[in-house]
Amino acid sequence: MAELLDENALREALTGLQGWHGDVSAIRRTVTVSPIEQPALLEEMERISREMDHDPELDISGDDVTIIMSTHSAGGVTALDVEYAHRVDALVLQSG
């Protein structure tokens, strides 16, 4: 089972992530992307999810896509969630 990050490790991990916030239960980021560009972003996020065998929770409202990450089997945020966040950051920078 994946090891949960403690508050200090999470705080350190969040300093290296753009726009992510949260606590040891989950981290999240909202990106604004036009409805025309959303399918491409979501498709790439799905590709990353398949590669990592790790799925985000998504909340889509108009132009805003909120990505929520936690490792349910571990009961909170793990290094896997942080890695997914880094990969999404790179994707958003690439598309933005």
Side-chain angles (χ1 to χ4, degrees), residues 69-95:
M69 293 303 304
S70 70
T71 302
H72 299 289
S73 61
V77 179
T78 67
L80 191 59
D81 302 301
V82 173
E83 174 62 25
Y84 187 91
H86 278 288
R87 292 188 65 182
V88 166
D89 278 357
L91 178 64
V92 169
L93 284 173
Q94 187 178 36
S95 65

Side-chain angles (χ1 to χ4, degrees), residues 3 23 30-31 35 37 39 43 49 56 59 63 76 79:
E3 187 175 323
D23 55 34
T30 300
V31 294
E37 296 170 343
E43 183 177 321
S49 294
D59 181 20
D63 292 350

Side-chain angles (χ1 to χ4, degrees), residues 25-45:
S25 65
I27 58 174
R28 60 187 43 80
R29 177 182 180 183
T30 300
V31 294
T32 302
V33 58
S34 74
I36 293 171
E37 296 170 343
Q38 278 183 12
L41 174 66
L42 296 175
E43 183 177 321
E44 283 301 303
M45 288 174 58

